[in-house]
Amino acid sequence: IHVSTVTWKKEATPEQRKAALEGIKTMAAEIPGIKNVWIKSTKVQPQERNDAFAIEFENKAASEAYVNAPAHKAWEKIYIPYREESSNSQITN
């Protein structure tokens, strides 16, 4: 599971933030090996962060392939311009 916390740029509008998060669902539908996504934050830490999302992969290979997938690159075009900073973690069991 890939977990990201995000601080948006101050000038990012609510619509731009929403489009970036909703874009995760679109991206996930196009990348093999993504099982689930979560885009509705209920608690985000540290307090400077505004949002969080998680992506569940079928396996490590799917996680590694996601980074260079064309759908991921397309999503980055609607995410990165509005992201001030983010932190990422990957977790497995």
Side-chain angles (χ1 to χ4, degrees):
I1 298 176
H2 174 90
V3 179
S4 293
T5 58
V6 181
T7 301
W8 299 109
K9 291 181 178 178
K10 289 182 173 120
E11 61 271 15
T13 66
E15 293 80 14
Q16 291 165 329
R17 294 174 182 190
K18 182 179 178 180
L21 291 172
E22 290 289 329
I24 296 168
K25 293 190 289 187
T26 302
M27 172 188 63
E30 297 176 22
I31 299 177
I34 293 181
K35 292 173 60 174
N36 291 301
V37 296
W38 294 269
I39 62 168
K40 295 180 183 177
S41 303
T42 57
K43 181 178 180 180
V44 182
Q45 293 181 330
Q47 290 182 343
E48 299 80 36
R49 300 291 189 202
N50 309 115
D51 272 309
F53 63 88
I55 302 171
E56 181 181 8
F57 297 95
E58 289 179 358
N59 52 43
K60 185 176 180 181
S63 171
E64 292 170 351
Y66 146 88
V67 175
N68 292 312
H72 182 251
K73 298 295 184 189
W75 170 72
E76 285 183 324
K77 291 178 182 176
I78 61 168
Y79 169 62
I80 290 179
Y82 308 111
R83 179 193 72 187
E84 179 71 33
E85 187 175 20
S86 65
S87 297
N88 303 305
S89 300
Q90 290 204 355
I91 306 161
T92 192
N93 58 8

